[in-house]
Amino acid sequence: MDESLRPRLPFPPVTRAHILHCSYHHWHPKYRSITPKARLIPLTAPFLSYLRADGILLPPDDNEDDQYSSTETDSGIFSSASPSDSDSETSSTDPSLSWPEIHTKIKSTIAELGGNVVPKLNWSAPKDATWINATNSMECRSPNDVYLLLKSSDFITHDLEQAFDGCCDPPPPPSSSQPPNGDRKEQVQEEKIPYHLTLRKTIPALSPSLEFRCFVRSRSLLCLCQRDLNHYDFLPSLTPTLNPLIQTFFNDHLRDTFEGENFVFDVYIPPPHRRVWLIDINPWAPRTDPLLFSWMEVLGMRAPAGPPANANVTAVQVGGMMDGDDNDEEEVEEEISTPEFRLVNRNDPEAYSFNTPQYSAHKMPKDVVDASSSGDGGEAGLREFMGRWREVVREQEQEQEREEGDRGGG
């Protein structure tokens, strides 16, 4: 469909400042006490060039005795370097030689956080690339696991090359080294975004059913919904507990402190459902998935009636009523509505329409999928595919060398 003919959503202007305010490195220091344990690593220009480069080349595996080595996960299946390679070959195929401090920092951070982490760039996590990880998740136990996920993810590519797509304000003027009509990728690189790699300690027994997306407009919590698009029988009975808990969390921590009136935040509320953890803050923009809502629905939604945004009110919700101090005077009933909490119900069509794995459009060709779904948990198939892949690479290199030799001899 021609983009010019597509109806435009009535979003307020999205600015570069708003996108940067939603970057993990920007808001994490302020909200560190209410987020899961994580470490942020500033990224250097050579490492960013590695992420942007075509193809997947991984450093040789570290010491095989390293307890956090991923040799058992086959996460380096696309690497042309291995411990058995000669020193000269390794030196020419080890990309980490251009960013040794980043490689060392990632390795030490993984060990510091217990040997199991989940990676994320400024805005996105490589959720669309879990198919390439032997665990079929974002859990990483070695630097190579991290590199493989980052370089296989379209979401990470978007962070690197299209971070400011849809923004209304113009980019800063190009430097003298960049022509005025440079392509979008060059413009994003020229803006010197402070890219960071976030390594978050893996949450043990994380339950996706207890992750929720919350929509804030004009500093008012408008609505919220599940992040995982499956039906869970126990969730409806938890709604009276979770809704006021999230509302209180928002009032206490985010409403008056985040740099923007409109944003979307994600939370996780593990059992016994007494503490809320902030997982992410997303832009109020079409790029953010509204999940069980549509953006047209959210943008046209009336804000819940309640106390003024600058009022610090503590109340207990019991049976839908607000308990306060008894008063002999005539009581004046005031209806205070709560944000809509949308779940996937048992009889909803959505509960039966998510058989296709999420992010399947970002996955690899059928040969790779078939290899990963073969016996032995997919490991045997991946090893076989790795061997075939390396043979193809060697043949291409040999053919290229012969062609270069023929040209030189002529």
Side-chain angles (χ1 to χ4, degrees):
M1 180 178 180
D2 189 344
E3 291 295 328
S4 63
L5 301 178
R6 189 184 300 273
R8 293 193 176 186
L9 295 169
F11 272 94
V14 180
T15 65
R16 281 169 163 73
H18 176 60
I19 300 299
L20 288 173
H21 290 162
C22 295
S23 173
Y24 197 94
H25 87 281
H26 183 86
W27 58 261
H28 179 262
K30 183 186 296 184
Y31 303 122
R32 184 171 182 174
S33 63
I34 56 175
T35 60
K37 188 174 184 180
R39 296 290 181 265
L40 277 68
I41 302 174
L43 299 181
T44 60
F47 185 78
L48 293 173
S49 297
Y50 166 73
L51 291 183
R52 291 185 172 110
D54 294 334
I56 301 177
L57 179 65
L58 303 179
D61 289 335
D62 294 323
N63 186 354
E64 293 182 355
D65 295 332
D66 190 342
Q67 62 175 322
Y68 302 122
S69 173
S70 62
T71 54
E72 297 182 358
T73 67
D74 282 333
S75 64
I77 60 174
F78 293 106
S79 174
S80 60
S82 65
S84 62
D85 294 330
S86 65
D87 292 341
S88 59
E89 183 180 354
T90 300
S91 63
S92 63
T93 58
D94 183 358
S96 67
L97 296 178
S98 300
W99 27 272
E101 69 285 358
I102 298 293
H103 186 70
T104 300
K105 184 64 176 176
I106 292 175
K107 183 179 179 182
S108 64
T109 300
I110 292 174
E112 177 193 353
L113 296 179
N116 201 327
V117 300
V118 173
K120 175 185 176 69
L121 221 54
N122 290 43
W123 297 277
S124 303
K127 293 183 289 186
D128 59 322
T130 55
W131 58 269
I132 203 170
N133 200 355
T135 62
N136 198 32
S137 71
M138 289 196 296
E139 294 183 10
C140 297
R141 297 178 175 85
S142 73
N144 275 5
D145 291 346
V146 175
Y147 307 147
L148 187 61
L149 282 176
L150 295 181
K151 286 191 66 66
S152 303
S153 171
D154 289 343
F155 294 170
I156 297 302
T157 300
H158 185 277
D159 278 13
L160 293 171
E161 300 180 4
Q162 299 170 297
F164 296 128
D165 271 14
C167 291
C168 63
D169 48 340
S175 65
S176 57
S177 61
Q178 179 187 352
N181 296 324
D183 65 26
R184 180 168 54 194
K185 182 189 299 188
E186 292 176 347
Q187 290 176 359
V188 171
Q189 295 181 28
E190 186 70 18
E191 293 190 47
K192 304 298 183 185
I193 296 173
Y195 282 106
H196 286 68
L197 172 64
T198 298
L199 297 179
R200 189 188 71 199
K201 182 176 177 134
T202 299
I203 300 175
L206 183 144
S207 175
S209 62
L210 295 170
E211 292 184 272
F212 305 97
R213 175 151 292 182
C214 312
F215 299 81
V216 177
R217 189 183 67 204
S218 300
R219 299 199 181 279
S220 176
L221 184 56
L222 198 63
C223 55
L224 50 156
C225 69
Q226 293 175 230
R227 286 191 67 190
D228 185 56
L229 303 180
N230 289 287
H231 170 71
Y232 296 94
D233 287 333
F234 67 90
L235 276 182
S237 63
L238 281 179
T239 300
T241 299
L242 299 178
N243 203 335
L245 190 64
I246 295 174
Q247 179 74 67
T248 300
F249 173 83
F250 167 70
N251 291 342
D252 291 347
H253 298 289
L254 296 174
R255 184 184 64 192
D256 301 319
T257 60
F258 185 71
E259 297 171 276
E261 294 186 344
N262 309 315
F263 57 97
V264 180
F265 67 97
D266 298 327
V267 296
Y268 178 59
I269 310 178
H273 316 300
R274 296 174 183 170
R275 180 163 186 178
V276 180
W277 292 98
L278 178 64
I279 299 298
D280 204 0
I281 298 180
N282 309 284
W284 185 268
R287 69 178 66 182
T288 299
D289 191 345
L291 298 175
L292 294 181
F293 298 96
S294 69
W295 268 120
M296 186 63 74
E297 184 180 11
V298 172
L299 293 169
M301 192 176 292
R302 293 181 59 186
N310 58 357
N312 187 9
V313 178
T314 302
V316 178
Q317 183 178 20
V318 180
M321 300 297 292
M322 306 299 293
D323 285 351
D325 295 335
D326 293 335
N327 196 326
D328 294 336
E329 299 178 0
E330 182 181 356
E331 294 184 359
V332 179
E333 294 186 0
E334 180 181 356
E335 179 182 356
I336 299 179
S337 61
T338 57
E340 178 179 354
F341 200 151
R342 188 168 293 183
L343 305 175
V344 177
N345 296 316
R346 180 185 297 275
N347 296 325
D348 287 348
E350 291 85 355
Y352 306 99
S353 61
F354 295 109
N355 295 326
T356 301
Q358 278 189 303
Y359 318 116
S360 59
H362 303 272
K363 294 185 177 180
M364 284 284 281
K366 186 176 183 297
D367 290 345
V368 182
V369 178
D370 290 343
S372 65
S373 61
S374 62
D376 300 326
E379 293 186 9
L382 286 173
R383 292 193 186 98
E384 182 181 354
F385 182 82
M386 174 185 65
R388 294 201 306 266
W389 179 272
R390 285 181 172 170
E391 289 178 5
V392 170
V393 171
R394 290 194 189 99
E395 290 175 359
Q396 290 178 342
E397 291 176 347
Q398 292 172 0
E399 183 177 353
Q400 184 177 1
E401 290 174 358
R402 285 195 297 268
E403 291 178 354
E404 292 176 352
D406 292 341
R407 287 195 297 267

